[in-house]
Amino acid sequence: MPLLTDPAGIAGLMVREVRNGSRDGAPTKIAVARRTYATDQNDLWDALTNAERLPRWFLPISGDLKVGGHYQLEGNAGGVVEECEAPRRLALTWEMGPQVSWVTVDLAPGDEGTVLELAHEAPVDPEFWGQYGPGAVGVGWDLALMALGLHLSSGAAVDPAEGLAFPTTPEGITFVRAAGSDWANAAIEAGDDPAAAREAAERTITFYTVEPEGNAQS
């Protein structure tokens, strides 16, 4: 992955928000990430939905990529495409094993390009939320949307191996710490206890930035 000369600054391009929601009478938490990209709406939509372009910054995708169809991201989530209104709105289920959540992406013209707003809504698991807070999903999306920005600015593909290793590099640790800390701020703004939110953020930052022992170089 190209070296980030200002990883904290790149993390700061994202506006983060936590909302409380509900589905079928059950409470949910919604992690919202918003960023402006210096490209037009059609180009950003293509980067998000073109099956040949997605692997250049995210993951290979397969399936029936239309409303009502099932998709599968390689080694990650799958689900159902619920809405697809080019070049404005995409909504889908996000399914990993028995866990089902919902992702929406909205695009709109902005003063300096196109504004992307991604919302990831999930049922509330109080124990998991207390342990990791919104950064558990939020930081993952931060990393993906950072890679999207690199791809849009250069047109080049992000190397998958470099992308996986990035959070454990000095630049990656700085990026994840900035993003994770801001997710804690968003949780506090939404009503979480400040001390608990910051402790959860530290656990999330550690999760993303500490290389698994099996992968460590001796």
Side-chain angles (χ1 to χ4, degrees):
M1 180 172 292
L3 180 66
L4 296 183
T5 57
D6 184 12
I10 296 295
L13 295 175
M14 192 74 72
V15 177
R16 300 169 182 86
E17 182 183 352
V18 174
R19 301 171 186 164
N20 296 306
S22 66
R23 289 209 177 220
D24 299 323
T28 61
K29 291 285 189 180
I30 309 168
V32 181
R34 190 180 308 108
R35 177 177 165 179
T36 298
Y37 291 94
T39 191
D40 63 73
Q41 195 166 333
N42 287 324
D43 181 49
L44 184 51
W45 178 262
D46 185 70
L48 293 167
T49 60
N50 185 327
E52 295 183 358
R53 197 170 172 188
L54 266 171
R56 297 175 67 81
W57 64 272
F58 193 37
L59 292 167
I61 191 169
S62 59
D64 191 12
L65 306 181
K66 62 183 182 182
V67 174
H70 290 257
Y71 74 92
Q72 180 63 53
L73 290 163
E74 186 175 293
N76 204 290
V80 177
V81 180
E82 296 188 320
E83 298 178 53
C84 185
E85 301 175 18
R88 189 182 67 83
R89 181 175 174 84
L90 179 68
L92 41 85
T93 64
W94 190 263
E95 304 176 27
M96 299 188 73
Q99 298 178 334
V100 179
S101 54
W102 303 269
V103 173
T104 60
V105 180
D106 289 289
L107 304 184
D111 292 339
E112 299 180 1
T114 303
V115 179
L116 178 152
E117 180 177 287
L118 182 147
H120 193 153
E121 180 177 8
V124 176
D125 179 339
E127 182 177 353
F128 187 82
W129 185 268
Q131 190 78 3
Y132 295 106
V137 297
V139 171
W141 285 117
D142 280 309
L143 290 163
L145 296 176
M146 178 199 69
L148 172 60
L150 292 172
H151 166 65
L152 290 170
S153 64
S154 68
V158 176
D159 181 85
E162 290 186 6
L164 285 173
F166 175 74
T168 64
T169 66
E171 295 83 5
I173 291 169
T174 298
F175 177 89
V176 170
R177 176 159 294 282
S181 297
D182 200 42
W183 280 114
N185 293 336
I188 293 166
E189 286 289 327
D192 283 14
D193 175 76
R198 294 190 178 101
E199 289 172 2
E202 285 299 321
R203 286 188 284 268
T204 294
I205 291 164
T206 298
F207 172 82
Y208 277 98
T209 59
V210 175
E211 188 173 5
E213 290 185 9
N215 294 338
Q217 298 293 320
S218 58

